[in-house]
RNA sequence: GGGGCCGUAGCUCAAUUGGUUAGAGUACUGGACUGUCGAUCCAGUGGUUGCGGGUUCGAGUCCCGUCGGCCUCGCCA
């Protein structure tokens, strides 16, 4: 139908005949001549209908509106002196058309793909086909394709085998809430959509595949966030006869390739690594944003010696007093803005309050609570915080975990408010040696921090018996710009050790056998040491594209309530469908 | 489940903080125009202020509920 795309023609094509197809991006009707910008995914080209082509042609062109689909034929011509458009790649030329065919008319669109005032996201999602016409979204989807292709190439070069695993699986007790699929043939029974292909890929290692990779769709029925969708895509892989370094090294290579090919950025390898413990101490979070400093400073020792009860008692009751120094930010943060920060820290992270000091020109600390401290102590605090005139010091005195959350939240917010990093910067690193377990106070039991198949660090194996809280796992998370881009572990390949971990987690033998007996059984038939990782592709695309929302990286994303505004999924089903499945929907009673 | 922001013309927004007939830009419709490229100029159409209730002489504005979108804590790796 066409000889060229709308992004293709240049001066060298002048005087040749061409046929283009595309959408009318804009139409400028001058009465005599009509200028059309024709758009397709490759670009835009200006085509001109003028009386030389016939009055009927001009008349036809003048009736065109935005998003009509047309096919035009004409001669490529240089634009008249002074009318070239430097904003278009094809701006040196235009197509003087001799014929115009309307392939399809468009209703007046609710918004134009070229709009600068982006409409509300609900409207964009409802008319996703229009939103996806926007160059920005097309660019992101193209980038996504390139990232996936690079991944596939890379792993093929490294002898990985792409294996598909089932989407209809069975529900596992731990982890996220499952999406369930009722079975018609086995009434009352349910499949679960995979949260990840975890168990299958371990079985593939037992089966001797040695290196497995898959681009796998995963499902988790949990509440959504800007960077979380109920169905998402993972680059999932598993390797045999490896330790954590081997897996991380493999991903290091992938990241270097991606950064070089897609960002033009050379990474120096190996990527930096930090232990979980260090990350929590220095940044209060297991996925620290290392694009800027402003690290947390522990002032607990000092606080224990001060007169201020809030500080002293926080330490005496086993908590911490930690702070951070927002360099040169005192002027920028009015009392009102600090109050806002205080609200965030209290409401979102459960902190009791936020203490703050402004560093005066003479280096002294000023604060509404300064009267609670003697001057010598304040001087020591200033020194510990490396305070300089104009700095703003913020402190949280609370339980360890609350100081982590609150200061992490503050640091993240200040980092972006104070523009402590430039938007184009990308920082890749690893966080390693996560704790094996978390204590669940509600259920009074240990829960696996990653998943129950994670192997402990060799030197911590005995801690499983003596002090599980201190046992560290062979776990590693890939962190990009303060986002968890992926995570993996070395797995337990020994049936006895696996049983021991289940015991510790309070998963009794019967449950274990019922839910993943097949895995335990397979481990008894010569399972090789193995481990792997899964990378969140949607997030990686988001980070590489410099976007804030994962929805902008997925062609057809869901809303925060996990609905699709275009298809209106989830939808109701016929009574007959339910009957076939042996299901009955309970009446929705309020507040059960 | 909790906290917060938002919802006014097809779209993006405004409406002097409770006051008379809810405006602008854009889109759309009609007209003018042969060098525009966010075309321009003239004219016009377009409103259940998300929905329901309440307070008030009077509600886009205040209150309660509800629906929807977003951010976030919990949740989730």
């Amino acid at each position: 139908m066409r000889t060229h795309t709308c992004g293709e023609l240049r001066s060298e094509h002048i005087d040749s005949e061409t046929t283009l197809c595309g959408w009318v991006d804009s139409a400028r009707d001058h009465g005599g001549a009509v200028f059309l910008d024709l758009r397709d995914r490759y670009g835009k080209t200006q085509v001109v209908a003028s009386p030389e082509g016939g009055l009927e042609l001009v008349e036809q062109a003048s009736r065109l509106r935005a998003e009509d689909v047309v096919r035009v034929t004409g001669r490529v011509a240089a634009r008249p002196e002074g009318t070239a458009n430097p904003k278009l790649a094809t701006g040196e030329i235009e197509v003087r058309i001799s014929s115009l065919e309307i392939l399809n008319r468009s209703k007046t669109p609710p918004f134009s793909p070229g709009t600068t005032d982006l409409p509300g996201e609900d409207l964009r999602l409802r008319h996703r086909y229009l939103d996806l016409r926007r160059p920005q979204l097309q660019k992101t989807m193209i980038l996504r394709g390139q990232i996936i292709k690079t991944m596939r190439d890379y792993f093929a070069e490294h002898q990985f085998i792409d294996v598909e695993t089932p989407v209809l699986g069975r529900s596992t007790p731990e982890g996220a809430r499952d999406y369930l699929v009722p079975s018609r043939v086995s009434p009352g029974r349910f499949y679960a959509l995979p949260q990840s292909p975890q168990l299958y890929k371990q079985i593939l290692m037992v089966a001797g595949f040695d290196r497995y990779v898959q681009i796998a769709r995963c499902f988790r029925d949990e509440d959504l966030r800007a960077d979380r969708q109920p169905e998402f895509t993972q680059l999932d892989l598993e390797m045999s006869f490896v330790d954590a370094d081997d897996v991380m090294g493999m991903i290091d290579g992938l990241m270097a390739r991606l950064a070089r090919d897609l960002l033009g950025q050379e990474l120096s390898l190996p990527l930096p690594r930090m232990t979980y413990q260090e990350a929590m101490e220095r940044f209060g979070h297991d996925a620290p944003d290392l694009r800027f400093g402003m690290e947390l400073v522990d002032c607990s020792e000092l606080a224990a010696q001060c007169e201020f009860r809030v500080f002293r008692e926080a330490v005496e009751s086993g908590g911490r007093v930690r702070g951070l120094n927002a360099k040169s930010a005192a002027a920028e943060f009015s009392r009102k803005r600090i109050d806002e920060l205080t609200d965030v820290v209290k409401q979102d992270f459960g902190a009791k309050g936020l203490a703050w000091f402004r560093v005066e020109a003479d280096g002294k600390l000023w604060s509404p609570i300064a009267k609670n401290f003697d001057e010598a102590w304040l001087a020591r605090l200033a020194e510990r915080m490396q305070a300089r005139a104009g700095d703003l010091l913020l402190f949280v005195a609370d339980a360890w975990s609350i100081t982590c959350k609150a200061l992490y939240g503050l640091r993240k917010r200040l980092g972006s408010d104070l523009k402590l990093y430039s938007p184009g910067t990308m920082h890749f690193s690893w966080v390693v040696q996560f704790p094996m377990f978390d204590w669940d106070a509600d259920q009074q039991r240990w829960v696996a921090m990653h998943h129950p198949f994670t192997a402990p660090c060799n030197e911590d194996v005995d801690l499983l018996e003596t002090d599980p809280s201190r046992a560290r796992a062979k776990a590693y998370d890939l962190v990009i710009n303060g986002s968890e881009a992926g995570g993996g572990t070395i797995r337990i390949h020994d049936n006895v050790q696996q049983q021991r971990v289940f015991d510790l987690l309070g998963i009794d033998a019967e449950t274990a056998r019922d839910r993943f007996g097949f895995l335990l059984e397979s481990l008894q038939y010569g399972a090789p040491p193995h481990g792997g990782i899964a990378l969140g592709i949607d997030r990686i695309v988001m980070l590489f594209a410099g976007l804030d929302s994962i929805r902008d990286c997925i062609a057809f994303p869901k809303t925060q309530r996990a609905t699709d505004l275009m298809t209106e999924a989830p939808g109701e089903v016929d009574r007959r469908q339910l009957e076939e499945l042996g299901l009955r929907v309970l009446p929705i009673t309020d507040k059960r």
Side-chain angles (χ1 to χ4, degrees):
Chain A
M1 280 183 93
R2 58 185 176 185
T3 60
H4 298 85
T5 69
C6 296
E8 199 174 351
L9 296 171
R10 297 289 186 276
S11 302
E12 71 216 53
H13 297 96
I14 285 171
D15 285 337
S16 58
E17 279 287 312
T18 187
T19 300
L20 301 179
C21 293
W23 288 262
V24 174
D25 195 68
S26 72
R28 297 174 293 280
D29 181 358
H30 284 246
V34 179
F35 299 89
L36 302 171
D37 286 344
L38 227 53
R39 183 195 73 240
D40 64 15
R41 82 168 229 227
Y42 305 95
K44 284 196 258 185
T45 301
Q46 171 166 287
V47 305
V48 192
S50 56
E52 292 87 81
L55 286 176
E56 199 188 329
L57 181 76
V58 175
E59 160 68 15
Q60 211 183 356
S62 71
R63 285 200 306 270
L64 290 172
R65 294 293 176 271
E67 303 312 307
D68 287 339
V69 187
V70 298
R71 176 172 182 244
V72 298
T73 298
R75 194 175 50 82
V76 181
R79 293 202 186 185
E81 186 78 31
T83 63
N85 185 351
K87 287 188 216 162
L88 291 184
T90 60
E92 292 284 311
I93 57 93
E94 64 192 13
V95 178
R96 310 256 169 89
I97 60 174
S98 53
S99 74
L100 185 162
E101 183 185 352
I102 298 171
L103 299 174
N104 208 349
R105 282 281 194 179
S106 171
K107 282 176 67 177
T108 301
F111 64 94
S112 148
T115 186
T116 46
D117 295 329
L118 213 51
E121 196 165 357
D122 43 354
L123 193 78
R124 290 173 49 206
L125 291 171
R126 190 160 292 126
H127 301 278
R128 192 61 167 171
Y129 36 85
L130 294 179
D131 202 25
L132 284 166
R133 278 182 200 167
R134 289 169 46 230
Q136 167 63 248
L137 230 38
Q138 297 216 333
K139 200 174 130 198
T140 307
M141 294 317 298
I142 290 165
L143 174 69
R144 185 182 174 113
Q146 288 170 332
I147 286 175
I148 288 173
K149 170 154 196 318
T150 303
M151 288 173 166
R152 288 208 155 106
D153 290 348
Y154 179 84
F155 288 107
E157 286 163 25
H158 287 86
Q159 284 72 53
F160 281 74
I161 303 167
D162 195 319
V163 183
E164 290 172 87
T165 54
V167 164
L168 298 176
R170 66 167 304 170
S171 184
T172 49
E174 303 246 328
R177 196 177 291 120
D178 285 318
Y179 275 102
L180 297 177
V181 179
S183 164
R184 175 181 59 82
V185 192
S186 306
R189 290 177 174 256
F190 294 83
Y191 302 98
L193 303 183
Q195 297 177 21
S196 77
Q198 182 62 37
L199 299 174
Y200 297 108
K201 65 177 176 177
Q202 290 192 240
I203 302 275
L204 287 170
M205 292 305 102
V206 179
F209 279 82
D210 192 74
R211 292 185 166 194
Y212 141 92
V213 70
Q214 182 183 193
I215 292 185
R217 191 65 60 86
C218 304
F219 306 85
R220 290 177 189 158
D221 187 5
E222 296 293 347
D223 287 350
L224 274 48
R225 287 286 188 284
D227 62 352
R228 248 157 55 185
Q229 281 275 299
E231 62 177 304
F232 58 101
T233 308
Q234 283 190 344
L235 174 86
D236 191 50
L237 65 92
E238 195 77 5
M239 304 165 75
S240 290
F241 307 113
V242 290
D243 210 332
D245 283 348
D246 300 310
V247 180
M248 286 188 273
M250 186 63 67
I251 300 301
D252 276 357
L254 173 66
M255 288 301 132
R257 168 92 64 98
L258 288 171
R260 171 157 45 79
D261 291 359
L262 301 172
L263 304 172
Q265 189 179 325
E266 291 294 331
L267 298 187
S268 81
L269 300 184
L271 296 174
R273 298 180 192 180
M274 183 185 293
T275 65
Y276 172 88
Q277 185 62 34
E278 186 180 354
M280 297 305 285
E281 282 293 345
R282 289 172 58 190
F283 303 98
H285 193 70
D286 62 1
D289 192 338
L290 301 182
R291 286 175 297 179
F292 60 99
M294 202 163 75
E295 298 188 13
L296 314 195
V297 182
D298 195 318
C299 303
S300 302
E301 267 183 54
L302 264 179
Q305 304 161 21
C306 77
E307 299 296 313
F308 188 42
R309 275 180 49 191
V310 174
F311 276 19
R312 212 181 55 233
E313 287 175 2
V315 179
E316 281 166 1
S317 60
R320 301 279 198 101
V321 175
R322 296 202 287 171
L324 47 79
N325 182 348
K327 302 298 286 178
S328 309
E332 216 170 309
F333 276 81
S334 60
R335 189 74 176 252
K336 193 180 156 198
R337 285 187 72 188
I338 294 173
D339 286 346
E340 282 170 21
L341 295 179
T342 308
D343 287 344
V344 169
V345 155
K346 284 163 116 170
Q347 282 174 11
D348 283 2
F349 305 108
K352 290 191 266 304
L354 181 67
W356 57 275
F357 297 84
R358 240 194 302 259
V359 187
E360 304 285 274
D362 59 5
K364 296 224 169 94
L365 301 188
W366 185 90
S367 167
I369 57 165
K371 62 180 182 299
N372 295 288
F373 306 92
D374 63 57
E375 224 168 277
W377 189 91
L378 287 175
R380 287 167 68 198
L381 184 70
E383 194 198 338
R384 174 120 185 93
M385 298 301 294
Q386 302 189 341
R388 300 283 175 274
D391 292 353
L392 175 68
L393 311 180
L394 300 162
F395 297 90
V396 175
D398 226 304
W400 152 256
S401 67
I402 292 191
T403 62
C404 283
K405 287 178 192 167
L407 289 167
Y408 161 72
L410 280 178
R411 180 173 177 272
K412 188 172 174 177
R413 182 170 169 148
L414 291 170
S416 108
D417 284 3
L418 296 169
K419 297 186 171 56
L420 297 183
Y421 50 88
S422 59
T425 315
M426 293 285 281
H427 192 285
F428 300 74
S429 68
W430 292 98
V431 173
V432 299
Q433 292 176 7
F434 283 66
M436 285 283 287
F437 310 106
D438 252 344
W439 178 250
D440 184 329
D442 289 342
Q443 300 183 54
Q444 286 290 302
R445 65 183 191 103
W446 293 107
V447 292
M449 192 146 176
H450 196 91
H451 57 58
F453 318 107
T454 304
C457 289
N458 296 342
E459 59 270 37
D460 292 356
V461 170
D462 293 337
L463 288 171
L464 295 186
E465 316 289 345
T466 56
D467 186 0
S469 70
R470 283 175 49 219
R472 293 163 304 166
K474 287 181 179 170
Y476 31 85
D477 274 6
L478 176 68
V479 178
I480 306 176
N481 295 354
S483 268
E484 181 199 330
T489 62
I490 298 300
R491 330 294 182 185
I492 298 170
H493 62 278
D494 173 75
N495 185 44
V496 176
Q497 189 169 60
Q498 184 65 72
Q499 291 282 5
R500 206 190 302 170
V501 170
F502 282 155
D503 288 347
L504 219 150
L505 293 171
I507 301 174
D508 58 73
E510 196 186 335
T511 308
R513 212 177 319 114
D514 184 43
R515 300 301 170 95
F516 19 71
F518 59 96
L519 175 72
L520 298 177
E521 197 178 8
S522 79
L523 295 181
Q524 299 175 55
Y525 290 93
H530 62 284
I533 190 167
L535 305 182
I537 287 184
D538 315 283
R539 271 190 202 171
I540 285 176
V541 174
M542 177 174 91
L543 293 163
F544 272 63
L547 299 169
D548 298 319
S549 168
I550 203 169
R551 293 183 298 278
D552 290 340
C553 311
I554 297 173
F556 301 102
K558 304 227 171 0
T559 67
Q560 195 164 53
R561 287 179 61 255
T563 64
D564 180 332
L565 295 180
M566 187 178 71
T567 65
E568 297 186 306
E572 296 186 344
V573 295
D574 292 342
R575 176 182 289 266
R576 280 194 53 178
Q577 288 177 283
L578 288 177
E579 278 171 5
E580 270 190 330
L581 295 165
L583 295 180
R584 194 167 58 214
V585 177
L586 294 173
I588 298 161
T589 53
D590 39 2
K591 314 273 152 62
R592 258 185 300 148

